[in-house]
Amino acid sequence: MLCPPLFMEAIKTYATYRSLAGRLCTLGFGVLRFDYTGTGDSAGDDLDAPRVPTWTGDIECAAEVVRRAGLAEVVLVGMRMGAALAAAAAASCHPAGVVLWDPCRSGRAFLREQRALYALRFGGAEEGDGADVPGFAL
Protein backbone atom coordinates (compact mmCIF):
# COMPACT_ATOMS: atom_id res chain seq x y z
CA MET A 1 0.00 0.00 0.00
CA LEU A 2 1.40 3.34 -1.02
CA CYS A 3 0.57 6.03 1.53
CA PRO A 4 1.15 9.33 -0.26
CA PRO A 5 2.57 12.54 1.13
CA LEU A 6 0.28 15.53 1.55
CA PHE A 7 -0.55 18.67 -0.40
CA MET A 8 2.05 19.93 -2.91
CA GLU A 9 4.36 17.06 -1.99
CA ALA A 10 1.64 14.64 -3.17
CA ILE A 11 1.31 16.49 -6.45
CA LYS A 12 5.06 16.63 -7.02
CA THR A 13 5.58 12.94 -6.25
CA TYR A 14 2.53 11.63 -8.14
CA ALA A 15 4.60 10.41 -11.11
CA THR A 16 7.14 8.78 -8.80
CA TYR A 17 4.42 6.91 -6.91
CA ARG A 18 2.78 5.86 -10.17
CA SER A 19 6.12 4.57 -11.48
CA LEU A 20 6.83 2.75 -8.20
CA ALA A 21 3.40 1.09 -8.30
CA GLY A 22 4.01 -0.07 -11.87
CA ARG A 23 7.42 -1.49 -11.05
CA LEU A 24 6.12 -3.32 -7.98
CA CYS A 25 3.27 -4.80 -10.07
CA THR A 26 5.79 -5.94 -12.68
CA LEU A 27 7.64 -7.76 -9.89
CA GLY A 28 4.43 -9.55 -8.90
CA PHE A 29 3.28 -7.45 -5.95
CA GLY A 30 -0.30 -6.31 -5.56
CA VAL A 31 -0.28 -2.53 -5.10
CA LEU A 32 -2.94 -0.14 -3.82
CA ARG A 33 -2.62 3.61 -4.31
CA PHE A 34 -5.25 5.82 -2.69
CA ASP A 35 -6.00 9.39 -1.66
CA TYR A 36 -6.76 10.35 1.92
CA THR A 37 -10.22 11.76 2.64
CA GLY A 38 -10.37 15.38 1.47
CA THR A 39 -7.28 15.04 -0.74
CA GLY A 40 -6.70 14.16 -4.37
CA ASP A 41 -9.70 12.47 -5.98
CA SER A 42 -11.29 11.35 -2.69
CA ALA A 43 -14.50 12.63 -1.16
CA GLY A 44 -14.38 15.38 1.44
CA ASP A 45 -12.73 18.73 1.74
CA ASP A 46 -9.38 19.86 3.12
CA LEU A 47 -11.29 21.96 5.66
CA ASP A 48 -12.98 18.89 7.19
CA ALA A 49 -11.79 17.98 10.69
CA PRO A 50 -10.23 16.07 12.39
CA ARG A 51 -7.65 15.31 9.73
CA VAL A 52 -5.06 12.98 11.28
CA PRO A 53 -7.50 10.44 12.80
CA THR A 54 -9.43 10.42 9.52
CA TRP A 55 -6.29 9.86 7.46
CA THR A 56 -4.95 7.07 9.69
CA GLY A 57 -8.43 5.55 9.49
CA ASP A 58 -8.17 5.72 5.70
CA ILE A 59 -4.96 3.68 5.89
CA GLU A 60 -6.62 1.14 8.18
CA CYS A 61 -9.60 0.88 5.81
CA ALA A 62 -7.33 0.48 2.77
CA ALA A 63 -5.38 -2.29 4.54
CA GLU A 64 -8.67 -4.10 5.17
CA VAL A 65 -9.61 -3.74 1.49
CA VAL A 66 -6.25 -5.28 0.51
CA ARG A 67 -6.78 -8.19 2.89
CA ARG A 68 -10.34 -8.78 1.65
CA ALA A 69 -8.95 -8.87 -1.89
CA GLY A 70 -7.02 -11.97 -0.82
CA LEU A 71 -3.56 -10.63 -0.07
CA ALA A 72 -2.41 -12.07 3.23
CA GLU A 73 0.36 -9.56 3.92
CA VAL A 74 0.17 -5.79 3.79
CA VAL A 75 3.23 -3.56 3.69
CA LEU A 76 2.77 0.18 4.17
CA VAL A 77 5.05 2.45 2.13
CA GLY A 78 4.78 6.09 3.14
CA MET A 79 6.59 9.22 2.01
CA ARG A 80 6.97 12.38 4.15
CA MET A 81 3.71 12.88 6.09
CA GLY A 82 2.46 9.66 4.47
CA ALA A 83 5.29 7.93 6.34
CA ALA A 84 4.24 9.52 9.64
CA LEU A 85 0.62 8.53 9.01
CA ALA A 86 1.64 4.98 8.06
CA ALA A 87 3.67 4.67 11.26
CA ALA A 88 0.71 5.92 13.30
CA ALA A 89 -1.71 3.50 11.59
CA ALA A 90 0.62 0.51 11.84
CA ALA A 91 -0.35 -0.29 15.43
CA SER A 92 -3.98 -0.84 14.47
CA CYS A 93 -3.71 -2.37 10.97
CA HIS A 94 -0.83 -4.75 11.80
CA PRO A 95 1.17 -4.65 8.54
CA ALA A 96 3.87 -7.18 7.72
CA GLY A 97 6.20 -4.21 7.26
CA VAL A 98 6.41 -0.44 7.11
CA VAL A 99 8.70 1.54 4.80
CA LEU A 100 9.24 5.13 5.95
CA TRP A 101 10.51 7.19 3.00
CA ASP A 102 11.91 10.56 4.11
CA PRO A 103 9.45 10.78 7.01
CA CYS A 104 8.47 14.03 8.67
CA ARG A 105 9.65 13.98 12.26
CA SER A 106 6.26 15.21 13.48
CA GLY A 107 3.16 17.07 12.43
CA ARG A 108 4.56 20.11 14.19
CA ALA A 109 7.79 19.95 12.14
CA PHE A 110 5.76 19.55 8.94
CA LEU A 111 3.67 22.59 9.87
CA ARG A 112 6.82 24.67 10.53
CA GLU A 113 8.17 23.66 7.11
CA GLN A 114 4.89 24.56 5.41
CA ARG A 115 4.77 27.95 7.17
CA ALA A 116 8.36 28.66 6.08
CA LEU A 117 7.56 27.71 2.49
CA TYR A 118 4.47 29.92 2.61
CA ALA A 119 6.55 32.85 3.88
CA LEU A 120 9.18 32.34 1.18
CA ARG A 121 6.57 32.11 -1.53
CA PHE A 122 4.23 34.89 -0.41
CA GLY A 123 6.54 37.17 1.54
CA GLY A 124 5.14 36.87 5.04
CA ALA A 125 4.27 34.55 7.88
CA GLU A 126 0.80 33.06 8.19
CA GLU A 127 -1.11 34.05 11.33
CA GLY A 128 -3.14 31.71 13.54
CA ASP A 129 -3.11 28.06 14.54
CA GLY A 130 -3.29 26.64 11.03
CA ALA A 131 -1.23 27.20 7.94
CA ASP A 132 -1.99 28.17 4.41
CA VAL A 133 -0.17 25.59 2.40
CA PRO A 134 -0.23 27.14 -1.09
CA GLY A 135 -3.43 25.85 -2.66
CA PHE A 136 -4.58 23.99 0.47
CA ALA A 137 -5.89 24.65 3.97
CA LEU A 138 -4.39 22.97 7.00
Side-chain angles (χ1 to χ4, degrees):
M1 271 182 36
L2 300 180
C3 304
L6 296 173
F7 310 120
M8 286 305 292
E9 291 177 350
I11 293 168
K12 290 181 178 187
T13 60
Y14 180 85
T16 300
Y17 256 47
R18 184 172 175 228
S19 177
L20 175 60
R23 290 181 140 192
L24 290 170
C25 285
T26 300
L27 293 171
F29 295 96
V31 178
L32 175 66
R33 293 186 305 137
F34 67 97
D35 292 319
Y36 307 109
T37 302
T39 70
D41 292 326
S42 70
D45 186 277
D46 53 352
L47 296 175
D48 294 341
R51 305 309 317 146
V52 172
T54 300
W55 291 334
T56 56
D58 291 342
I59 294 170
E60 294 162 7
C61 181
E64 184 59 29
V65 167
V66 168
R67 288 188 175 101
R68 287 186 182 182
L71 299 173
E73 292 187 341
V74 174
V75 174
L76 305 178
V77 178
M79 180 187 284
R80 302 284 296 142
M81 274 306 291
L85 293 168
S92 55
C93 67
H94 311 290
V98 181
V99 177
L100 305 177
W101 184 354
D102 191 22
C104 293
R105 292 172 33 161
S106 69
R108 184 168 285 152
F110 177 75
L111 184 58
R112 275 195 308 270
E113 290 173 12
Q114 296 307 308
R115 283 182 171 156
L117 290 172
Y118 182 91
L120 285 171
R121 170 101 187 207
F122 297 104
E126 170 61 13
E127 298 294 326
D129 292 335
D132 278 334
V133 180
F136 305 92
L138 176 61

